[in-house]
Amino acid sequence: MEIIMSVVIGFLFMAAVYLMLSKSLIRIIIGTGLLSHGAHLLLLTMGGLGGISPPVVADGVSVSDYADPLPQALILTAIVISFAVTSFFLVLAYRSYQELGTDNMDLLRGTEDHE
């Protein structure tokens, strides 16, 4: 299962880098979203997949038979942060499209004599 997840993570990273290198601002935002999803899956895979043991120690469960809750907490925090960053990027892209009428990064760059 870890090999399949590694291939999926690699594909997500590949697609994210491809999209982030494009000139469209919306594609760049989608690429950052894919990159964050790849990072979430990477944290989940490195934390260990499978198993039916609970993430907390309860009565009747030995200390060696519980799942580590740290990767789950890190993924939950990363999901919240990536949602906030993606929301900010979308609002920024919408506002720049309203002001400038384009989402092409070459046209958004501006010229040297116009400040």
Side-chain angles (χ1 to χ4, degrees):
M1 186 69 177
E2 283 85 7
I3 294 180
I4 295 172
M5 291 297 285
S6 299
V7 170
V8 170
I9 291 166
F11 181 76
L12 284 175
F13 282 156
M14 176 199 61
V17 169
Y18 175 76
L19 287 173
M20 287 192 303
L21 291 176
S22 68
K23 293 182 181 181
S24 174
L25 193 57
I26 295 299
R27 287 185 180 186
I28 293 171
I29 294 170
I30 293 171
T32 57
L34 283 178
L35 187 70
S36 67
H37 286 306
H40 299 159
L41 284 177
L42 181 67
L43 284 173
L44 182 67
T45 305
M46 293 301 112
L49 297 174
I52 57 171
S53 54
V56 294
V57 178
D59 293 334
V61 177
S62 67
V63 178
S64 63
D65 289 338
Y66 72 97
D68 188 16
L70 184 64
Q72 298 169 7
L74 287 174
I75 291 169
L76 184 61
T77 305
I79 288 171
V80 171
I81 291 171
S82 68
F83 178 73
V85 168
T86 303
S87 300
F88 175 72
F89 282 163
L90 284 172
V91 169
L92 191 64
Y94 177 71
R95 186 68 179 139
S96 68
Y97 184 78
Q98 274 186 334
E99 289 293 319
L100 302 172
T102 185
D103 70 338
N104 190 347
M105 291 303 288
D106 287 338
L107 298 175
L108 290 175
R109 189 179 315 257
T111 59
E112 290 141 9
D113 52 335
H114 185 279
E115 294 181 14

